[in-house]
Amino acid sequence: MARIFVSSRVLLDGKFVPASIFVSEDGKITDIQQGILKSSAGHTYCDYSDKTLLPGLVDSHVHLNEPGRTEWEGFETGTKSAAAGGVTTVIDMPLNAIPPTTTVENLRTKLKAAVSQAWVDVGFWGGVIPGNDTDLVPLVDSGVRGFKCFMIESGVDEFPAVEPEDIAKAMDVLKNQPSVLMFHAEMLPPEGEATVADSASPTAYDSFLSFRPDSYERTAIETIVELAEKCDGKNTLNLHIVHVSSAETLPILKRAQDELGISLTAETCFHYLTFTSETIPDKGTHYKCCPPIRTKANQDALWAALQAGVLQTVVSDHSPCTPALKDLEVGDFFKSWGGVSGLGLGLSILWTEASKRGIGLEKVSEWTTRNTARQVGLQGRKGEIAIGYDADFVVFDPELEFVVTEDKIHFKNKISPYKGLTLKGLVEKTYLRGNCIYTAEDGVVEKPVGKLILEKRTA
């Protein structure tokens, strides 16, 4: 039986309007009519007249860690957490699972682990490591959405960093492929590794911050732009910088985008837009990530870059681990695992901070749905409420506030700097292809209905 979803505030083409959305039995949007239609025979009527209806979020930067490190996270707990936050599609990073997604065989191993464990739709990134350039096209043909590489050590032995010559090879291989090459953009500058004074305390955040300076990000992005300019197929090569933290990189990105003709997009993360280095406590290793959270002035520049379009997307970079690896008791920033956990909280986090700055929910949705869907090649299917798209919806109350308590955290290891914060905006229901997969009252549904996204990209 077809369904009709109605609301006085549906986000259509970047504007909130009263609308009625018709959804087929296979979960596609078949028609949209202005205004709120009355219930009629032959349809299931879903009335959210007093709520806001948004497209489901596409979180393009998530570490699910299965197989191999399921004590950190896993497909079940990770995708349930996503569903609870209105995220209907996640794209899994090629690390920190064992094996990493660097060959077709390794991808198949990951797919076996994911079977019947997806509460939301799941796509996959491949990885670029030294020597796997001949594996990239087969991975594209197998459905990975693109590739990520590290320009500095990743923290796990099975995913080593690449050198400029490895990047040049990957660019050459991927220049005519329907894919994107992404970078963890930190790189040692010519002067070498940053040093920390002997007197610096390892439990003080400022000590860690000085060890991962802006120059690491700036050097990496300058190198990427230089290599892209040398690539003879730069006009057909899609590049993306993950988790931009440093405002010093923004002029480099803008020049590449506006003046050099390089197809280069970039993201930042919820935690960079929420926290600042001035407020991170000593021993607060649950805030540690790489690149690091920086100053309030730096954060303001990231917000401005989002509004100006230099940065296009906001993602979680959900990178969990076990409590022991976070070294919470000692609080040594140099020994603890670097990663912030926040999957499923992002919509409320971003809306909380955006509303303080006078930024509308329309932009928040654009950065987390439409633009992320385009990044991963799912435009025309995900990221918008439009005819022909999957009926992925978030029923959202933008005025309700809640405190992030442990029972509101659905990922496996409930270690997060967001715990204890009061957030604005509550996800009341999440729909995946017209199926309700989460309600604030009853939690996540018992049976998973998510799909693994393995169709080859077309753009």
Side-chain angles (χ1 to χ4, degrees):
M1 179 180 292
R3 287 152 287 181
I4 303 177
F5 291 78
V6 302
S7 171
S8 59
R9 280 173 50 87
V10 180
L11 187 60
L12 297 179
D13 295 324
K15 297 180 180 179
F16 285 110
V17 296
S20 302
I21 306 162
F22 290 74
V23 176
S24 65
E25 291 186 4
D26 63 353
K28 291 289 186 179
I29 299 172
T30 57
D31 191 19
I32 300 174
Q33 296 186 20
Q34 295 285 329
I36 298 177
L37 300 181
K38 294 182 178 180
S39 177
S40 61
H43 294 92
T44 301
Y45 191 75
C46 303
D47 186 356
Y48 299 113
S49 300
D50 59 340
K51 304 297 180 184
T52 296
L53 206 61
L54 302 171
L57 277 68
V58 178
D59 193 337
S60 59
H61 195 145
V62 175
H63 295 267
L64 293 175
N65 304 332
E66 188 171 0
R69 290 191 174 96
T70 50
E71 69 275 17
W72 295 17
E73 195 62 271
F75 284 103
E76 179 179 347
T77 52
T79 58
K80 283 182 174 180
S81 184
V87 179
T88 50
T89 305
V90 298
I91 312 298
D92 180 49
M93 280 291 167
L95 73 164
N96 302 304
I98 303 174
T101 316
T102 51
T103 67
V104 172
E105 181 181 0
N106 290 358
L107 173 64
R108 289 172 180 157
T109 299
K110 181 173 280 191
L111 296 179
K112 289 178 183 177
V115 170
S116 300
Q117 290 206 85
W119 266 257
V120 301
D121 286 356
V122 182
F124 302 90
W125 295 118
V128 173
I129 59 173
N132 84 323
D133 48 291
T134 59
D135 293 296
L136 304 185
V137 172
L139 280 164
V140 171
D141 292 339
S142 297
V144 301
R145 313 312 298 173
F147 298 88
K148 180 184 182 182
C149 64
F150 270 71
M151 300 176 72
I152 198 167
E153 289 307 315
S154 70
V156 292
D157 293 340
E158 66 274 6
F159 204 90
V162 293
E163 298 295 335
E165 53 267 31
D166 301 309
I167 296 172
K169 286 181 182 178
M171 286 181 171
D172 188 60
V173 169
L174 295 173
K175 64 188 178 186
N176 292 310
Q177 293 293 322
S179 192
V180 58
L181 179 57
M182 309 188 302
F183 302 87
H184 179 122
E186 287 184 287
M187 182 180 182
L188 296 183
E191 61 267 25
E193 187 174 54
T195 58
V196 179
D198 292 339
S199 59
S201 169
T203 62
Y205 185 74
D206 282 349
S207 300
F208 171 67
L209 185 59
S210 67
F211 189 63
R212 301 297 279 240
D214 297 85
S215 60
Y216 281 27
E217 289 188 73
R218 193 176 62 245
T219 300
I221 296 178
E222 287 172 345
T223 301
I224 293 162
V225 171
E226 181 181 341
L227 290 168
E229 284 193 279
K230 293 178 180 177
C231 180
D232 62 9
K234 75 173 184 179
N235 294 329
T236 58
L237 177 68
N238 298 313
L239 305 176
H240 181 81
I241 310 298
V242 301
H243 50 47
V244 171
S245 158
S246 171
E248 291 185 13
T249 68
L250 299 174
I252 308 169
L253 291 169
K254 183 170 175 56
R255 179 172 177 267
Q257 293 162 350
D258 293 350
E259 300 176 23
L260 301 180
I262 297 171
S263 177
L264 177 63
T265 55
E267 69 190 40
T268 192
C269 301
F270 303 124
H271 41 277
Y272 300 133
L273 300 172
T274 303
F275 304 114
T276 62
S277 59
E278 293 93 337
T279 59
I280 294 177
D282 289 351
K283 300 185 179 181
T285 52
H286 46 308
Y287 292 88
K288 179 187 174 182
C289 55
C290 296
I293 295 165
R294 304 191 189 275
T295 65
K296 175 66 166 62
N298 183 91
Q299 182 188 83
D300 290 341
L302 295 179
W303 276 103
L306 271 170
Q307 292 177 276
V310 178
L311 304 175
Q312 298 82 28
T313 54
V314 187
V315 297
S316 69
D317 187 13
H318 177 67
S319 185
C321 68
T322 60
L325 289 173
K326 265 300 182 185
D327 196 42
L328 294 169
E329 290 189 11
V330 175
D332 188 326
F333 282 99
F334 293 87
K335 292 181 179 178
S336 68
W337 175 258
V340 170
S341 296
L343 181 58
L345 297 171
L347 177 57
S348 299
I349 292 165
L350 194 58
W351 173 231
T352 300
E353 297 303 315
S355 60
K356 294 175 185 176
R357 295 172 180 264
I359 299 170
L361 190 55
E362 300 92 335
K363 295 301 293 185
V364 168
S365 181
E366 179 185 329
W367 297 330
T368 56
T369 61
R370 178 187 293 181
N371 290 359
T372 45
R374 288 176 179 173
Q375 179 206 339
V376 304
L378 291 174
Q379 63 270 39
R381 176 176 169 186
K382 302 283 188 182
E384 296 185 55
I385 298 176
I387 294 173
Y389 281 65
D390 288 352
D392 298 347
F393 306 137
V394 185
V395 180
F396 190 62
D397 189 324
E399 299 305 321
L400 277 180
E401 294 187 347
F402 68 98
V403 177
V404 182
T405 51
E406 195 156 299
D407 64 301
K408 299 289 195 304
I409 295 173
H410 297 271
F411 41 85
K412 183 171 289 185
N413 292 290
K414 302 181 188 303
I415 306 164
S416 176
Y418 300 112
K419 192 184 294 185
L421 293 188
T422 298
L423 299 182
K424 181 180 179 181
L426 181 69
V427 173
E428 297 199 346
K429 290 186 179 181
T430 305
Y431 284 86
L432 177 64
R433 286 185 299 280
N435 299 295
C436 186
I437 59 172
Y438 168 80
T439 69
E441 296 82 8
D442 301 322
V444 181
V445 297
E446 183 176 341
K447 184 179 179 181
V449 296
K451 295 180 179 180
L452 305 184
I453 301 171
L454 294 172
E455 301 87 351
K456 184 177 177 179
R457 283 184 72 147
T458 58

